[in-house]
Every structure is written in C-alpha cells, then in structure tokens.
Amino acid sequence: MKYGIVAFPSKKLQDLANTYRKRYDPHYALITPHITLKDAFDADEAEIGEISKHLQEVASRFAPLQIHASRISSFYPTTNAIYFRVEPTPQLENIQKSIQEKINFGAPKHVFVPHITIAQKMSASEHDDIHGQLRMVGVDEKDSIDRFHLLYQLEDGSWTTYETYKLTGAE
Amino acid sequence: MKYGIVAFPSKKLQDLANTYRKRYDPHYALITPHITLKDAFDADEAEIGEISKHLQEVASRFAPLQIHASRISSFYPTTNAIYFRVEPTPQLENIQKSIQEKINFGAPKHVFVPHITIAQKMSASEHDDIHGQLRMVGVDEKDSIDRFHLLYQLEDGSWTTYETYKLTGAE
C-alpha cells in the first residue's frame, strides 16, 4: 500500500490554496491542500503499526508548527509546479528529518522545500504565464499547525487519512 | 465551521465503491468512500476541543466495527442515492447513538441506515436504470473498521480530516 505524511494548514489557508488549485492543479480532487512531510512510500499493512508508533514518538517531541507562507514560487525547471513557499525554519527541517530517519522507507526524492502546491502539470507556456500572474499576487499568511497525518492512497489516486498525530512537545 | 463524523472502510472496499462513484457520484472528488456516523453539523472552532474529547470517550468504549456490505440498495423515493447497504448491528446502532448523544449539534435528519453511497444526484430515469443494473451485480464484503474520523469541510465542499479515534473498547 502507498502511504504519505502531510500537515494540513488551517481551513483559511486551504481555502485560499484551493481558489488556485481548482483551476490549475489536476490533483485538486485527490487530496486537500497540504505540506508534504514525507513523499509517497510503499509499506506493508503489517508494518504500519510500527510506523505509526514511530510517528507518535516524533509528534510527542515537537510543538505546533509555526509556518509562514510568504510568496508564490515555482520548482521550474525541476518540475513546473507552482506553490506557496513556506519559509524554512529549524522546526520544520527537524520534524521532516526526524520523520525521514524514523521511517526509512524510500529515500527523499529531493531536498526538503516546505511548500503548498497550487498548480502543476501545465505546459511550459501555461506555467510561465500563470507563474508570472501569481507571483505578482503573492501570498502572506501565518499559521499554526498542531497535528500531522498519515494517509494512504486508493487505486484512483485519492488519499484517505489513516491516523492523526498531535504535536504535543516543546521542540 | 462544518464538521462531520465518518468511518472509512478498508482500502479494498473503498476501491470497490470508487469504481461506481467515479461514474455516478458527483461527490466523488470531495471525500473518499465512507459510512457516515453523524451528518454534517455546524460548530465553533472553540467547541471542537470538547467535541473531540467526547469522541475519544466513545472510541474508548467500542471495539472495531464488524461490518457486512450485503447488497446494493436505494433511498428512493426519499432521495435517489444508491448505496452499499451495511447490515445494521447493535454495535453500529449503539456507536451512532452514543455519538449523537454526546454531540448534541444538529438533530439527525433521518433514521440511521448504515451505508456507503456509490451514486447520487441522478435524474429519475438514470436512477432507475443504474439501480436496476447495480442491484443485479450486488456486493458481499465483510470488513473490520478499527477507527473513525472527525472531518471539517472546506469552502469548495471537500473534507479534510481533523482527528482520528481508535476503537479500543469492548462493546
């Protein structure tokens, strides 16, 4: 089964991201707006109890995530995804690293750049056009996220929540 | 904010429901296949801590839900939704009643009929046609569900999980 680990920002920030995703992101219907903490990885259902225990440990060490979506940026030329850039902080880097260390399934595909995707899978010219527009509009939202989620993927590509982990620590 | 309480069946049963929902359910993209334990209700964000505590109490009393999706049925003429009928059991009735008693927001709109919706919002003739076909195909799946979820709704109608409650009791 395919699993992933994400943090959902506040409803306000999700609603804002969806105003763009509705038009520009073909994954719009598969999952609500999120910050990916660990990319999709394969695991047996038998292993998921252990994984869940590790995630519970991580969650008990970290305090609610203080995030700042500060501007609209693009991963071009790596991919043509456009996103709300979430300012990197030691807290975000540490929680991502802790999750990666504890759950050693699948190496991270790329350096951790915290973000909320709002557009992807466009042609090169669409990308340039939309990126140009959205960069000017920008974003400036601060948020506190007090939990993260382990999800699993259905055959149609959509994601269901398996479990929620509340951030109850101090880090 | 609008909240709802659901139990997601196994991936296998969700995948099966989605083969129909993809074609026949316009809510397909808003939420993955589920059994509704409490219909959408309005609550303040300030109240949600209390609500969550009540749900935790309910979850600690009940054992994993043993369900049997036994046939394909329709709510016609109340609505034209078609669904996997989940055989009513004392366990399902008790957990639904306990949730309703503990969370006294919004009276239940109708008698509790446990089900997984697979088609809705069709014209009367589409309904009759599709119901006729699917009733013949039928369904016969048993499943054990060891948790339920509190969700909240975004402005576009989609649902994000707020929290997961594991069924760890004996009832």
Side-chain angles (χ1 to χ4, degrees), chain B residues 24-82:
Chain B
Y24 303 128
D25 185 353
H27 289 187
Y28 169 63
L30 302 179
I31 186 168
T32 50
H34 59 278
I35 298 170
T36 300
L37 294 176
K38 182 165 171 56
D39 278 328
F41 61 97
D42 281 305
D44 283 352
E45 280 181 72
E47 295 166 312
I48 210 65
E50 188 80 358
I51 288 172
S52 191
K53 211 158 53 180
H54 286 317
L55 292 176
Q56 192 55 63
E57 279 165 35
V58 172
S60 69
R61 271 176 39 213
F62 285 88
L65 304 172
Q66 303 307 318
I67 68 159
H68 181 199
S70 58
R71 56 190 166 97
I72 292 180
S73 198
S74 166
F75 285 122
Y76 182 86
T78 310
T79 75
N80 65 7
I82 297 169

Side-chain angles (χ1 to χ4, degrees), chain A residues 11 14 28 155-156 164, chain B residues 11 14 28 152 155-156 164:
Chain A
K11 175 174 180 294
Q14 288 187 68
Y28 170 63
E155 291 307 312
D156 68 349
T164 307
Chain B
K11 174 174 180 295
Q14 288 187 68
Y28 169 63
Y152 58 94
E155 291 307 312
D156 68 349
T164 307

Side-chain angles (χ1 to χ4, degrees), chain A residues 78-125:
Chain A
T78 310
T79 75
N80 65 8
I82 298 169
Y83 57 92
F84 290 165
R85 176 187 166 86
V86 174
E87 288 300 323
T89 62
Q91 189 194 31
L92 282 169
E93 276 160 27
N94 288 339
I95 194 168
Q96 188 269 345
K97 218 172 103 191
S98 299
I99 290 172
Q100 186 55 41
E101 278 167 8
K102 288 276 187 184
I103 300 164
N104 218 347
F105 293 84
K109 274 184 252 160
H110 22 62
V111 176
F112 178 56
V113 178
H115 68 279
I116 299 164
T117 298
I118 56 171
Q120 60 186 323
K121 318 259 176 200
M122 297 157 288
S123 71
S125 65

Side-chain angles (χ1 to χ4, degrees), chain A residues 128-142:
Chain A
D128 293 350
D129 190 26
I130 294 164
H131 184 212
Q133 286 173 38
L134 297 190
R135 198 170 40 189
M136 306 301 281
V137 181
V139 62
D140 184 17
E141 293 284 338
K142 289 186 177 164

Side-chain angles (χ1 to χ4, degrees), chain A:
Chain A
M1 199 129 88
K2 198 154 257 176
Y3 293 90
I5 301 167
V6 306
F8 294 114
S10 65
K11 175 174 180 294
K12 187 186 170 201
L13 195 46
Q14 288 187 68
D15 283 337
L16 180 63
N18 269 340
T19 61
Y20 301 112
R21 295 177 79 229
K22 196 164 194 157
R23 294 181 61 186
Y24 304 129
D25 186 352
H27 290 185
Y28 170 63
L30 302 178
I31 186 168
T32 51
H34 59 279
I35 298 170
T36 300
L37 295 177
K38 182 165 170 58
D39 278 327
F41 60 99
D42 281 306
D44 282 353
E45 280 180 73
E47 295 166 312
I48 211 63
E50 188 80 358
I51 288 172
S52 192
K53 210 157 54 178
H54 286 316
L55 292 176
Q56 192 56 63
E57 278 165 35
V58 172
S60 69
R61 271 176 40 212
F62 285 88
L65 304 172
Q66 304 307 318
I67 69 157
H68 180 200
S70 58
R71 58 191 166 94
I72 291 181
S73 198
S74 166
F75 284 122
Y76 182 85
T78 310
T79 75
N80 65 8
I82 298 169
Y83 57 92
F84 290 165
R85 176 187 166 86
V86 174
E87 288 300 323
T89 62
Q91 189 194 31
L92 282 169
E93 276 160 27
N94 288 339
I95 194 168
Q96 188 269 345
K97 218 172 103 191
S98 299
I99 290 172
Q100 186 55 41
E101 278 167 8
K102 288 276 187 184
I103 300 164
N104 218 347
F105 293 84
K109 274 184 252 160
H110 22 62
V111 176
F112 178 56
V113 178
H115 68 279
I116 299 164
T117 298
I118 56 171
Q120 60 186 323
K121 318 259 176 200
M122 297 157 288
S123 71
S125 65
E126 275 180 308
H127 168 272
D128 293 350
D129 190 26
I130 294 164
H131 184 212
Q133 286 173 38
L134 297 190
R135 198 170 40 189
M136 306 301 281
V137 181
V139 62
D140 184 17
E141 293 284 338
K142 289 186 177 164
D143 209 352
S144 175
I145 304 178
D146 67 355
R147 61 196 65 212
F148 64 88
H149 301 260
L150 175 63
L151 315 177
Y152 58 93
Q153 192 169 33
L154 302 183
E155 291 307 312
D156 68 349
S158 63
W159 293 86
T160 298
T161 295
Y162 182 76
E163 193 158 348
T164 307
Y165 307 93
K166 282 198 258 184
L167 298 162
T168 55
E171 202 176 317

